[in-house]
Amino acid sequence: MVARLNKISAALALVCSMPLIAQTNTDATAPTESQGEIEQIVVTGKASGMSGFKVDTSYAITNVSAENIGRLAPKSTAELFTVVPGVWAESSGGIAGANVFVRGFPSTGDAPFLTIQLNGAPIFPPPTLSFLENSSIFRLDETVHFMEALRGGSTPVLSNGQPGLTTNFLLKEGSEVTEGLVKFSTSSYGLRRVDGVVSGEIADRLYVMAGGYISSSEGPRETGFNSEKGHQFTVNVTKELDNGSINVYTRQTDDHGVWHLPVALNAPGVDNNYSQIGPNNRLGSIAYGPDGEEQSYDFGDGRGWNGGITGGTVDLDLTDSWRLMYRFSHIEGEANTFGLVPEGGATTLGNVGGINSPVTGVTSGDTYDNDTVVQQIGRWVVLKDIEAFTNDLSFSKTTDNAVFTLGYYATNFSVQDWWSIGNQSWFVVEKGGEELSGIDCNDSLASCSWNYDIDATGDGDTSAFYAAVEYQLNEQWRVDVGARRENHKITYVVDEGLTGDISKAVNYDESKTAWTAGVNWMWQRNMGMFARVNKGNKMPFFDDFRDNYGAFESGDKLIKEVTQYELGYKWAEQNYSMYLTAFYNEVDGELFVSRPGAPAEVLTTEAMGIEFDANYRADNGFAVNLNATVQDTEITNHPDPLVVGNQAIRQPEWMLRITPSYGFDVADMYATVYGTLSSVADRYGDNANSVKLDGYSKIDLGVQLDITQQLKAQLSVANLTDKDGITEGDPRSAGSPNGRYIMPRSIDFSISYTF
């Protein structure tokens, strides 16, 4: 522990000695060039729902404006999270199915410690189900006003009680002025996308915003077909009242893209542009169930979301001192997954057993010799229907020096799962490499390795009372405390093997308490410190019971307990700001499962580190942001004593992101040149720390040209040097020489017209 403290102290000294540098304006309320860092407003993290200045908050929060989201040009929602200190996001799998890791919180994949909110309500209360994390069901477009990202802080007490990262996306709203935008985008990978948004007043104090997109492309990797396509439409209606406002929105999405899996790193011709899936293998059949029933699927559909989210907010001043805040959200749709998943490493055809005739391609009919590089690839099918209805009601009482809040959160959610995963057969390792014929297990449509088929249905119900107090002791000191009492119910039945019989049944009813306490000391109006401690919980959802059913039957409640400490320093002036947060957390009861059906490992981890976020904007058009995280993670309890003391899986020791920009006049136009250098340290792909994932650096560049006041063009280059960075190994088989590259170099161009 002393060594770990020394390492973090050294990092703190290094960061504090750095010159103050920062990013372009990322305030949360439709930023303008005249708005300063000290004036940034945040709305997330307070039980009362009242907005406040970012510099006054007693927790770590990052805000990103619509303008900066546009400049970043993220290929997926998860890619946007890379701008948040303490967050390591892997979006190398495509537009859906990302892995998002939060400072020191262990996870093998997906995003169990991430909740996405839309207008303050979670889009789907379970942060992660197998083959579904929140970012897979949320798409960015021009209807988004800004995003806020809150780590730790008060989140264990509020909303769905997420102890890790909560990202809140706020939609644009209409106003008395009718305005809009039309945008066309294209790219080096054949992107064709049209965005549009319009807003205005449709009746007295009744405002509407409507917009969306239509998109189609091959994707950044060469697949040989339009592998990413979809559309989305959003309507947001707001009625201003004398004592508040009522807001209702709906968002309908149908969008999917190829699921890019780890590839054979030791095979010739495999690089960051490689994709196993292509026209020769996107269509394929699987056999499932005890009778070997056959079904054909299009695996080019990948991962995506076809469904809708409808919600709203009622915000009313009941009296001069009493306020009501009510948020609701309903989601329903399909989040299916189709993918070609590697099983083991690549080899040559001569090393494959069960060859009974000349080996030929199923599609081409070509004959392959013994030197052909091949690999077992599984056709995985996951059909998933989800639904949830969430309510969050609170009453706040404001006095001269305090705000008291009492709230009630309630949600019910359900999932229907049908899986057939495994289904391995031998494929040629080349772009779009075809399946082979002339190998016993291939020809019989039996899996060459293993199968795991399920039919499962689950329902959940969570209700919680929460209370919070913010008390201003004097001009400099403010304290806040909050508590939450949550009841969590799950009913879940699983038919493993598709036999028609229930193999696992769950009836779960447990309650748990979470709490938070913070103190804020502002010795100047624009400078201060905060300290916070919280104790939160991550309650189990459907897959936790299936993956660790034996422990559940033995009496384990499967609740992950999270303890966090934070100490922060903040300084904001008109043109610059600096936020420094030291953190410590412990996660007890984390579950690790290499693949569905495999034995579970239960472990405890600790992490301590520092987040640094600095921003500077000069009067001459120059601006820069630096965000960095230094952390030390350790597995402190594990079934295997040899694993204790190892670094937590997929958690880098440091991350760094520098984003400079410079704006200048050119002819009668205004140009902004910007870039980003992102670096990450080595990570480990397994708890045993036997698989090292090398760190890497990536450069992105862009230029934005304001041709007229209404016409704007943007050119951006992602991964300028075409870096072959590895985001993950093979989570299903840590020792296999497979890995997933970051996306290759790509160029995007857009032109937009505002009115």
Side-chain angles (χ1 to χ4, degrees):
M1 178 66 75
V2 173
R4 296 172 66 203
L5 286 171
N6 289 339
K7 184 187 296 185
I8 299 300
S9 299
L12 178 61
L14 174 64
V15 168
C16 288
S17 66
M18 292 179 178
L20 187 62
I21 56 181
Q23 77 178 56
T24 55
N25 187 22
T26 58
D27 68 291
T29 55
T32 64
E33 290 300 321
S34 62
Q35 194 169 25
E37 295 292 331
I38 197 172
E39 298 169 305
Q40 291 185 15
I41 303 294
V42 295
V43 300
T44 307
K46 290 190 175 184
S48 64
M50 300 177 184
S51 62
F53 290 110
K54 178 179 177 180
V55 72
D56 291 332
T57 60
S58 55
Y59 41 77
I61 189 168
T62 299
N63 41 12
V64 185
S65 68
E67 180 183 5
N68 277 342
I69 293 174
R71 286 185 180 178
L72 290 164
K75 299 291 191 298
S76 66
T77 302
E79 192 170 302
L80 175 62
F81 301 150
T82 60
V83 306
V84 182
V87 176
W88 165 241
E90 299 175 351
S91 57
S92 52
I95 59 175
N99 302 316
V100 182
F101 306 94
V102 185
R103 58 184 190 191
F105 289 87
S107 173
T108 57
D110 292 320
F113 292 101
L114 164 69
T115 290
I116 291 180
Q117 294 181 347
L118 184 58
N119 279 12
I123 59 174
F124 189 55
T128 285
L129 302 179
S130 290
F131 304 102
L132 178 67
E133 40 76 37
N134 271 197
S135 77
S136 290
I137 52 180
F138 187 84
R139 300 290 184 272
L140 295 169
D141 64 13
E142 295 295 331
T143 66
V144 171
H145 186 32
F146 65 92
M147 179 199 78
E148 292 182 341
L150 172 59
R151 289 88 69 199
S154 56
T155 55
V157 170
L158 306 178
S159 189
N160 65 335
Q162 171 62 262
L165 169 69
T166 295
T167 57
N168 186 14
F169 290 86
L170 278 294
L171 293 172
K172 294 177 180 177
E173 295 184 359
S175 67
E176 295 178 356
V177 178
T178 299
E179 55 187 354
L181 173 147
V182 178
K183 179 179 178 182
F184 171 73
S185 304
T186 187
S187 72
S188 58
Y189 50 89
L191 174 67
R192 302 292 183 269
R193 174 164 170 150
V194 176
D195 286 80
V197 62
V198 63
S199 62
E201 187 176 31
I202 55 177
D204 183 36
R205 302 175 73 183
L206 180 65
Y207 309 105
V208 66
M209 181 279 297
Y213 69 85
I214 301 172
S215 178
S216 177
S217 80
E218 184 180 8
R221 293 196 172 103
E222 296 177 2
T223 58
F225 62 96
N226 281 341
S227 63
E228 296 183 354
K229 53 188 176 181
H231 56 269
Q232 180 169 269
F233 184 68
T234 304
V235 177
N236 190 28
V237 179
T238 304
K239 174 64 177 178
E240 294 289 346
L241 307 173
D242 292 338
N243 63 334
S245 64
I246 298 175
N247 168 261
V248 179
Y249 63 85
T250 186
R251 167 173 282 211
Q252 304 298 315
T253 308
D254 185 356
D255 192 297
H256 64 86
V258 158
W259 184 26
H260 295 287
L261 279 302
V263 294
L265 302 177
N266 61 343
V270 175
D271 56 18
N272 63 13
N273 197 44
Y274 177 88
S275 175
Q276 180 66 45
I277 198 164
N280 286 339
N281 60 31
R282 61 180 292 191
L283 296 178
S285 296
I286 62 170
Y288 56 86
D291 299 327
E293 186 175 347
E294 296 182 15
Q295 181 67 46
S296 179
Y297 293 95
D298 182 359
F299 292 85
D301 285 344
R303 301 184 75 162
W305 168 242
N306 183 5
I309 305 173
T310 299
T313 302
V314 179
D315 185 1
L316 300 176
D317 292 324
L318 303 179
T319 67
D320 290 341
S321 60
W322 281 96
R323 183 189 190 191
L324 176 149
M325 175 71 76
Y326 171 62
R327 298 186 179 100
F328 72 92
S329 177
H330 176 265
I331 186 171
E332 185 175 11
E334 300 175 352
N336 299 331
T337 293
F338 305 91
L340 301 184
V341 183
E343 176 68 20
T347 186
T348 58
L349 186 57
N351 293 324
V352 176
I355 296 177
N356 55 26
S357 63
V359 177
T360 60
V362 170
T363 304
S364 70
D366 294 341
T367 299
Y368 293 95
D369 60 29
N370 286 342
D371 294 330
T372 303
V373 180
V374 298
Q375 187 177 26
Q376 279 192 30
I377 302 291
R379 289 189 172 108
W380 286 26
V381 177
V382 175
L383 308 180
K384 188 182 296 286
D385 292 341
I386 63 170
E387 184 177 6
F389 183 42
T390 300
N391 296 268
D392 193 344
L393 174 67
S394 66
F395 293 91
S396 297
K397 168 69 174 177
T398 302
T399 66
D400 290 340
N401 53 6
V403 179
F404 302 87
T405 301
L406 181 65
Y408 177 68
Y409 170 87
T411 181
N412 51 67
F413 47 90
S414 65
V415 63
Q416 291 183 331
D417 270 329
W418 188 97
W419 301 5
S420 181
I421 63 176
N423 303 311
Q424 289 87 4
S425 56
W426 291 97
F427 284 72
V428 178
V429 177
E430 63 183 16
K431 285 188 178 180
E434 62 184 328
E435 187 182 13
L436 297 172
S437 177
I439 303 173
D440 286 343
C441 57
N442 282 27
D443 295 343
S444 65
L445 208 61
S447 176
C448 294
S449 184
W450 56 270
N451 258 78
Y452 185 68
D453 302 338
I454 67 169
D455 186 4
T457 298
D459 292 280
D461 185 279
T462 300
S463 58
F465 287 98
Y466 59 90
V469 179
E470 293 181 61
Y471 194 88
Q472 192 74 37
L473 299 175
N474 52 44
E475 291 185 357
Q476 294 183 333
W477 291 89
R478 185 180 72 250
V479 296
D480 68 272
V481 295
R484 171 192 185 94
R485 182 62 176 175
E486 175 178 316
N487 177 252
H488 187 69
K489 298 177 181 178
I490 295 288
T491 59
Y492 183 52
V493 292
V494 185
D495 168 11
E496 289 181 310
L498 306 181
T499 63
D501 298 322
I502 294 176
S503 53
K504 294 177 178 177
V506 173
N507 190 359
Y508 183 87
D509 187 345
E510 294 292 340
S511 297
K512 201 71 176 175
T513 299
W515 55 270
T516 184
V519 58
N520 196 59
W521 175 33
M522 300 294 292
W523 61 84
Q524 294 182 15
R525 171 64 189 89
N526 57 347
M527 184 183 298
M529 295 184 68
F530 71 86
R532 179 169 294 278
V533 58
N534 67 49
K535 185 68 175 289
N537 312 287
K538 185 176 181 300
M539 305 298 277
F541 294 97
F542 310 113
D543 305 287
D544 298 302
F545 295 102
R546 188 191 63 252
D547 290 338
N548 206 17
Y549 191 69
F552 167 68
E553 284 191 309
S554 300
D556 193 329
K557 297 179 180 179
L558 304 184
I559 299 173
K560 301 175 181 65
E561 297 184 347
V562 179
T563 305
Q564 298 183 79
Y565 299 88
E566 295 175 284
L567 179 64
Y569 168 78
K570 48 198 176 174
W571 180 22
E573 298 290 351
Q574 188 67 20
N575 292 334
Y576 59 84
S577 64
M578 181 175 71
Y579 297 90
L580 184 68
T581 305
F583 62 88
Y584 167 86
N585 61 49
E586 180 186 71
V587 182
D588 184 11
E590 176 58 31
L591 193 69
F592 171 78
V593 180
S594 60
R595 60 172 175 80
E601 304 171 24
V602 181
L603 59 150
T604 301
T605 61
E606 294 181 2
M608 60 175 60
I610 302 165
E611 294 174 353
F612 183 72
D613 190 5
N615 305 273
Y616 174 73
R617 187 178 69 252
D619 294 333
N620 64 357
F622 175 75
V624 65
N625 161 259
L626 167 67
N627 79 55
T629 303
V630 180
Q631 64 179 1
D632 186 30
T633 65
E634 181 181 351
I635 299 173
T636 58
N637 186 37
H638 190 275
D640 182 356
L642 297 178
V643 172
V644 174
N646 285 351
Q647 185 173 317
I649 186 172
R650 310 271 279 280
Q651 290 280 345
E653 289 190 340
W654 58 264
M655 297 174 284
L656 174 69
R657 184 181 176 91
I658 302 174
T659 305
S661 67
Y662 180 66
F664 56 93
D665 292 313
V666 51
D668 294 328
M669 301 175 290
Y670 188 80
T672 303
V673 179
Y674 56 92
T676 299
L677 169 65
S678 305
S679 294
V680 64
D682 297 342
R683 293 135 287 131
Y684 289 102
D686 63 337
N687 288 324
N689 288 184
S690 63
V691 178
K692 183 180 178 181
L693 306 173
D694 292 335
Y696 61 89
S697 297
K698 180 172 75 79
I699 298 174
D700 304 320
L701 290 179
V703 58
Q704 183 175 294
L705 188 63
D706 295 342
I707 302 170
T708 68
Q709 196 170 23
Q710 295 174 298
L711 189 63
K712 180 185 298 183
Q714 179 173 312
L715 179 72
S716 58
V717 183
N719 194 4
L720 178 69
T721 61
D722 208 22
K723 191 75 172 182
D724 279 344
I726 297 290
T727 61
E728 64 173 293
D730 190 335
R732 287 155 290 276
S733 178
S736 297
N738 299 319
R740 186 151 57 182
Y741 289 108
I742 61 175
M743 291 296 176
R745 178 173 52 233
S746 62
I747 303 173
D748 291 79
F749 174 78
S750 67
I751 187 163
S752 61
Y753 180 78
T754 58
F755 57 89

